[in-house]
PDB file of all heavy atoms in Angstrom:
ATOM      1  N   SER A  80       8.038  -9.684   6.435  1.00 97.00           N
ATOM      2  CA  SER A  80       7.326  -9.575   7.717  1.00 97.00           C
ATOM      3  C   SER A  80       8.284  -9.296   8.876  1.00 97.00           C
ATOM      4  O   SER A  80       7.864  -8.797   9.913  1.00 97.00           O
ATOM      5  CB  SER A  80       6.528 -10.843   7.992  1.00 97.00           C
ATOM      6  OG  SER A  80       7.386 -11.906   8.343  1.00 97.00           O
ATOM      7  N   LEU A  81       9.569  -9.615   8.701  1.00 97.00           N
ATOM      8  CA  LEU A  81      10.536  -9.431   9.787  1.00 97.00           C
ATOM      9  C   LEU A  81      11.476  -8.249   9.554  1.00 97.00           C
ATOM     10  O   LEU A  81      12.350  -7.984  10.381  1.00 97.00           O
ATOM     11  CB  LEU A  81      11.378 -10.710   9.943  1.00 97.00           C
ATOM     12  CG  LEU A  81      10.624 -11.995  10.302  1.00 97.00           C
ATOM     13  CD1 LEU A  81      11.563 -13.201  10.262  1.00 97.00           C
ATOM     14  CD2 LEU A  81       9.958 -11.883  11.663  1.00 97.00           C
ATOM     15  N   CYS A  82      11.304  -7.541   8.433  1.00 97.00           N
ATOM     16  CA  CYS A  82      12.294  -6.530   8.032  1.00 97.00           C
ATOM     17  C   CYS A  82      12.203  -5.258   8.885  1.00 97.00           C
ATOM     18  O   CYS A  82      11.208  -4.534   8.841  1.00 97.00           O
ATOM     19  CB  CYS A  82      12.092  -6.197   6.554  1.00 97.00           C
ATOM     20  SG  CYS A  82      13.265  -5.012   5.940  1.00 97.00           S
ATOM     21  N   GLU A  83      13.253  -4.978   9.625  1.00 97.00           N
ATOM     22  CA  GLU A  83      13.275  -3.803  10.521  1.00 97.00           C
ATOM     23  C   GLU A  83      13.202  -2.488   9.741  1.00 97.00           C
ATOM     24  O   GLU A  83      12.682  -1.492  10.243  1.00 97.00           O
ATOM     25  CB  GLU A  83      14.558  -3.802  11.358  1.00 97.00           C
ATOM     26  CG  GLU A  83      14.728  -5.021  12.247  1.00 97.00           C
ATOM     27  CD  GLU A  83      14.104  -4.820  13.621  1.00 97.00           C
ATOM     28  OE1 GLU A  83      13.992  -3.660  14.029  1.00 97.00           O
ATOM     29  OE2 GLU A  83      13.733  -5.826  14.256  1.00 97.00           O
ATOM     30  N   ASP A  84      13.746  -2.484   8.530  1.00 98.00           N
ATOM     31  CA  ASP A  84      13.729  -1.254   7.731  1.00 98.00           C
ATOM     32  C   ASP A  84      12.315  -0.849   7.325  1.00 98.00           C
ATOM     33  O   ASP A  84      12.104   0.259   6.831  1.00 98.00           O
ATOM     34  CB  ASP A  84      14.546  -1.441   6.440  1.00 98.00           C
ATOM     35  CG  ASP A  84      16.037  -1.422   6.724  1.00 98.00           C
ATOM     36  OD1 ASP A  84      16.408  -0.991   7.828  1.00 98.00           O
ATOM     37  OD2 ASP A  84      16.802  -1.843   5.841  1.00 98.00           O
ATOM     38  N   LEU A  85      11.375  -1.766   7.478  1.00 98.00           N
ATOM     39  CA  LEU A  85      10.014  -1.484   7.014  1.00 98.00           C
ATOM     40  C   LEU A  85       9.061  -1.223   8.181  1.00 98.00           C
ATOM     41  O   LEU A  85       7.852  -1.381   8.049  1.00 98.00           O
ATOM     42  CB  LEU A  85       9.508  -2.643   6.139  1.00 98.00           C
ATOM     43  CG  LEU A  85      10.358  -2.943   4.897  1.00 98.00           C
ATOM     44  CD1 LEU A  85       9.792  -4.115   4.119  1.00 98.00           C
ATOM     45  CD2 LEU A  85      10.450  -1.723   3.979  1.00 98.00           C
ATOM     46  N   ASN A  86       9.611  -0.805   9.318  1.00 97.00           N
ATOM     47  CA  ASN A  86       8.765  -0.599  10.502  1.00 97.00           C
ATOM     48  C   ASN A  86       7.740   0.530  10.356  1.00 97.00           C
ATOM     49  O   ASN A  86       6.804   0.612  11.138  1.00 97.00           O
ATOM     50  CB  ASN A  86       9.634  -0.348  11.739  1.00 97.00           C
ATOM     51  CG  ASN A  86      10.291  -1.636  12.209  1.00 97.00           C
ATOM     52  OD1 ASN A  86       9.911  -2.731  11.760  1.00 97.00           O
ATOM     53  ND2 ASN A  86      11.269  -1.528  13.097  1.00 97.00           N
ATOM     54  N   LYS A  87       7.934   1.378   9.327  1.00 96.00           N
ATOM     55  CA  LYS A  87       6.938   2.417   9.068  1.00 96.00           C
ATOM     56  C   LYS A  87       5.635   1.831   8.539  1.00 96.00           C
ATOM     57  O   LYS A  87       4.632   2.520   8.443  1.00 96.00           O
ATOM     58  CB  LYS A  87       7.483   3.347   7.968  1.00 96.00           C
ATOM     59  CG  LYS A  87       8.129   4.602   8.462  1.00 96.00           C
ATOM     60  CD  LYS A  87       8.380   5.517   7.262  1.00 96.00           C
ATOM     61  CE  LYS A  87       9.521   6.442   7.565  1.00 96.00           C
ATOM     62  NZ  LYS A  87      10.053   7.069   6.349  1.00 96.00           N
ATOM     63  N   TRP A  88       5.683   0.573   8.098  1.00 98.00           N
ATOM     64  CA  TRP A  88       4.520  -0.043   7.463  1.00 98.00           C
ATOM     65  C   TRP A  88       4.087  -1.298   8.237  1.00 98.00           C
ATOM     66  O   TRP A  88       4.127  -2.413   7.703  1.00 98.00           O
ATOM     67  CB  TRP A  88       4.850  -0.406   6.008  1.00 98.00           C
ATOM     68  CG  TRP A  88       5.159   0.785   5.158  1.00 98.00           C
ATOM     69  CD1 TRP A  88       4.254   1.565   4.491  1.00 98.00           C
ATOM     70  CD2 TRP A  88       6.445   1.359   4.874  1.00 98.00           C
ATOM     71  NE1 TRP A  88       4.899   2.570   3.820  1.00 98.00           N
ATOM     72  CE2 TRP A  88       6.239   2.471   4.034  1.00 98.00           C
ATOM     73  CE3 TRP A  88       7.754   1.035   5.250  1.00 98.00           C
ATOM     74  CZ2 TRP A  88       7.290   3.266   3.568  1.00 98.00           C
ATOM     75  CZ3 TRP A  88       8.794   1.829   4.798  1.00 98.00           C
ATOM     76  CH2 TRP A  88       8.557   2.933   3.958  1.00 98.00           C
ATOM     77  N   PRO A  89       3.669  -1.132   9.509  1.00 97.00           N
ATOM     78  CA  PRO A  89       3.360  -2.308  10.332  1.00 97.00           C
ATOM     79  C   PRO A  89       2.231  -3.177   9.760  1.00 97.00           C
ATOM     80  O   PRO A  89       2.263  -4.395   9.914  1.00 97.00           O
ATOM     81  CB  PRO A  89       2.969  -1.714  11.688  1.00 97.00           C
ATOM     82  CG  PRO A  89       2.611  -0.289  11.406  1.00 97.00           C
ATOM     83  CD  PRO A  89       3.463   0.137  10.250  1.00 97.00           C
ATOM     84  N   ALA A  90       1.260  -2.557   9.090  1.00 98.00           N
ATOM     85  CA  ALA A  90       0.146  -3.369   8.574  1.00 98.00           C
ATOM     86  C   ALA A  90       0.604  -4.243   7.408  1.00 98.00           C
ATOM     87  O   ALA A  90       0.094  -5.353   7.220  1.00 98.00           O
ATOM     88  CB  ALA A  90      -1.023  -2.474   8.156  1.00 98.00           C
ATOM     89  N   LEU A  91       1.567  -3.772   6.634  1.00 98.00           N
ATOM     90  CA  LEU A  91       2.101  -4.590   5.538  1.00 98.00           C
ATOM     91  C   LEU A  91       2.902  -5.759   6.109  1.00 98.00           C
ATOM     92  O   LEU A  91       2.767  -6.907   5.671  1.00 98.00           O
ATOM     93  CB  LEU A  91       2.977  -3.736   4.613  1.00 98.00           C
ATOM     94  CG  LEU A  91       3.688  -4.483   3.485  1.00 98.00           C
ATOM     95  CD1 LEU A  91       2.691  -5.191   2.581  1.00 98.00           C
ATOM     96  CD2 LEU A  91       4.558  -3.535   2.660  1.00 98.00           C
ATOM     97  N   LYS A  92       3.710  -5.465   7.121  1.00 98.00           N
ATOM     98  CA  LYS A  92       4.492  -6.531   7.741  1.00 98.00           C
ATOM     99  C   LYS A  92       3.569  -7.573   8.371  1.00 98.00           C
ATOM    100  O   LYS A  92       3.779  -8.787   8.239  1.00 98.00           O
ATOM    101  CB  LYS A  92       5.435  -5.951   8.802  1.00 98.00           C
ATOM    102  CG  LYS A  92       6.577  -5.130   8.195  1.00 98.00           C
ATOM    103  CD  LYS A  92       7.480  -4.516   9.252  1.00 98.00           C
ATOM    104  CE  LYS A  92       8.197  -5.575  10.071  1.00 98.00           C
ATOM    105  NZ  LYS A  92       9.255  -4.980  10.924  1.00 98.00           N
ATOM    106  N   ALA A  93       2.531  -7.097   9.061  1.00 97.00           N
ATOM    107  CA  ALA A  93       1.601  -8.018   9.714  1.00 97.00           C
ATOM    108  C   ALA A  93       0.870  -8.863   8.678  1.00 97.00           C
ATOM    109  O   ALA A  93       0.744 -10.084   8.827  1.00 97.00           O
ATOM    110  CB  ALA A  93       0.593  -7.242  10.560  1.00 97.00           C
TER     111      ALA A  93
END
Side-chain angles (χ1 to χ4, degrees):
Chain A
S80 73
L81 299 173
C82 182
E83 300 270 335
D84 285 345
L85 301 179
N86 286 347
K87 263 190 205 164
W88 297 274
L91 176 59
K92 290 178 64 170

